[in-house]
Amino acid sequence: MTPSMACANKCVFCWRHHKNPVGTEWRWEMDQPEQIISKAIENHHQMIKQMKGVPGVQTKRFLEGFQIRHCALSLVGEPIIYPEINKFIGLLHEKRISSFMVTNAQFPDRIQLLTPVTQLYISVDAATPESLK
């Protein structure tokens, strides 16, 4: 899931397509965490339903597919700048969904305020600001 499409950088080594907004603070319309999560779960279930009757799909595995266990919060953009990130994480954990976040640690003050996630990966892209350029 991607609560934030925005990132503070346009790194040349990034695998993303570089069409996302750039910013160091939130200034866009915001979807509520409940809406993002419920829609993502709905979409996930729709994708799983499409596998019904496909040759080789085992019934047990098909049914297990409806139980979401993990959520990556880093697919596009910088998730930590989403204003409701702590509520978002809390809602995931209430649903017994683990949270995996990747951040570039550009906002250390927000990391200090972050609700604990299941896994936190910090991407160190350069040793100094100069070497990042």
Side-chain angles (χ1 to χ4, degrees), residues 1-4 16 36-37 70-80 85 88-89 92-93 98-103 114 117 119:
M1 285 186 234
T2 301
S4 171
R16 296 174 185 106
I36 297 169
I37 292 171
H70 309 287
C71 178
L73 299 171
S74 59
L75 302 176
V76 177
E78 174 59 51
I80 207 162
I85 193 62
F88 193 97
I89 293 165
L92 289 174
H93 293 177
S98 72
S99 53
F100 169 86
M101 181 184 286
V102 178
T103 178
L114 188 64
V117 293
Q119 294 180 33

Side-chain angles (χ1 to χ4, degrees), residues 40-109:
I41 290 171
E42 179 185 320
N43 289 341
H44 176 84
H45 288 170
Q46 286 299 110
M47 287 189 291
I48 297 300
K49 286 177 186 175
Q50 293 176 21
M51 298 305 295
K52 188 173 185 175
V54 172
V57 174
Q58 299 173 8
T59 302
K60 180 182 177 193
R61 297 288 189 215
F62 173 77
L63 295 174
E64 286 174 355
F66 288 97
Q67 305 231 336
I68 300 169
R69 296 194 174 121
H70 309 287
C71 178
L73 299 171
S74 59
L75 302 176
V76 177
E78 174 59 51
I80 207 162
I81 67 171
Y82 175 61
E84 295 289 334
I85 193 62
N86 285 332
K87 185 174 183 182
F88 193 97
I89 293 165
L91 291 169
L92 289 174
H93 293 177
E94 283 176 17
K95 295 179 181 297
R96 303 189 55 81
I97 299 173
S98 72
S99 53
F100 169 86
M101 181 184 286
V102 178
T103 178
N104 62 18
Q106 192 167 346
F107 306 101
D109 55 324

